[in-house]
Amino acid sequence: MIKAVIFDFDGVLVDTMPIHFITWKKLASYLGFELDPSTIDKMRGASRDKSLAIVLEQGGVDASPRQKQFYAHMKNTWYHYEIKEMTRRHLMPGALELLEQLKEKNIPVAMASSSKNAVHIIEHLSLQHYFQCMLDANDIQLTKPDPAVYLASAKNLGLPPESCLAIEDSPLGIKAAINAGCQCIGIGPEDNLAAATDVYESLEKLEIEKYLVN
Ligand code: BG6
Ligand code: MG
């Protein structure tokens, strides 16, 4: 039986992926090329360094470790300007309602993210009271598909991973959750997320009771 829910952040709770894309696109323009819109899906769940590698590869750009650090910093600075403008209108459809529902039912909730900005954005949106535990890439060095962030979240909740339901929007995230031993639901287009137990178009379509009573 599921006793807790562990949410991924980007693309599950908050609609940040278009903002990640716009800011990576800005970096690509600075480097002299146009970023392909399909890149957004390759970046889902990937760490900042991995996402930068995807961008540089697409532009055929060679960069030294120092340059890479500079580019990642530049992108994150632009991303931070965008965070300042973020409001609860940026929440994914159904996210707030689901958090409310879980709170009413006293189901423990955690957040497990590959982003270093996830906790900061949750606090910026004043949503932290919904979470018993929030772990992001500042806390856990190994990012998805490594299971570390899910294992640490379950441990923090005091539950075995098998009792936790992960909600993910990326193949990398689903792999991390499953490798940790969690059950996993995918949110988004089905063809990408086949490894999940069930896939829903959006959180609005998810009937959480179904999982809580099994
Ligand atoms: C993941 C996103 O959650 O976090 C990726 O899906 C992003 O697209 C990664 O690159 C790192 O995010 P940040 O906020 O630390 O740059
Ligand atoms: Mg995600």
Side-chain angles (χ1 to χ4, degrees):
M1 182 176 161
I2 290 298
K3 296 197 172 130
V5 176
I6 307 178
F7 286 89
D8 171 44
F9 174 75
D10 291 285
V12 170
L13 286 172
V14 184
D15 195 11
T16 48
M17 289 314 294
I19 307 174
H20 276 297
F21 178 73
I22 287 167
T23 42
W24 283 122
K25 196 173 154 70
K26 226 170 171 169
L27 178 72
S29 306
Y30 169 83
L31 295 171
F33 65 97
E34 179 84 12
L35 196 63
D36 189 305
S38 68
T39 317
I40 197 168
D41 283 328
K42 296 187 192 134
M43 289 172 174
R44 283 181 196 275
S47 68
R48 191 181 305 165
D49 288 349
K50 183 77 212 300
S51 299
L52 173 65
I54 293 167
V55 172
L56 296 180
E57 194 192 339
Q58 204 189 107
V61 176
D62 268 334
S64 67
R66 248 184 108 105
Q67 282 171 316
K68 284 182 189 165
Q69 217 180 350
F70 173 71
Y71 297 152
H73 175 75
M74 202 148 105
K75 184 270 177 187
N76 198 47
T77 304
W78 288 323
Y79 190 62
H80 269 254
Y81 290 136
E82 302 293 334
I83 294 174
K84 287 203 179 84
E85 303 302 317
M86 263 182 218
T87 68
R88 288 190 179 192
R89 270 175 305 163
H90 288 84
L91 286 171
M92 293 297 284
L96 195 57
E97 293 75 4
L98 181 54
L99 288 171
E100 272 296 334
Q101 221 180 325
L102 292 166
K103 194 177 178 185
E104 267 168 35
K105 292 181 192 297
N106 282 319
I107 303 292
V109 169
M111 185 194 68
S113 175
S114 286
S115 161
K116 288 188 172 167
N117 292 300
V119 172
H120 171 64
I121 299 174
I122 288 285
E123 287 174 354
H124 171 79
L125 300 176
S126 302
L127 296 169
Q128 60 272 30
H129 61 284
Y130 287 108
F131 299 88
Q132 273 65 43
C133 159
M134 296 192 285
L135 295 176
D136 69 15
N138 295 297
D139 311 294
I140 310 288
Q141 307 306 316
L142 293 167
T143 52
K144 300 167 187 178
D146 193 281
V149 73
Y150 277 106
L151 289 171
S153 298
K155 192 171 173 195
N156 225 288
L157 293 170
L159 290 167
E162 309 80 64
S163 302
C164 299
L165 182 72
I167 308 185
E168 273 289 349
D169 71 322
S170 72
L172 288 178
I174 292 173
K175 207 166 177 185
I178 290 176
N179 285 345
C182 299
Q183 294 190 46
C184 189
I185 281 176
I187 299 294
E190 196 147 2
D191 45 349
N192 257 346
L193 309 172
T197 309
D198 291 311
V199 179
Y200 299 92
E201 200 184 297
S202 89
L203 290 177
E204 288 173 308
K205 300 269 157 93
L206 163 64
E207 287 171 28
I208 197 71
E209 293 85 4
K210 184 176 145 191
Y211 300 90
L212 302 176
V213 295
N214 272 340

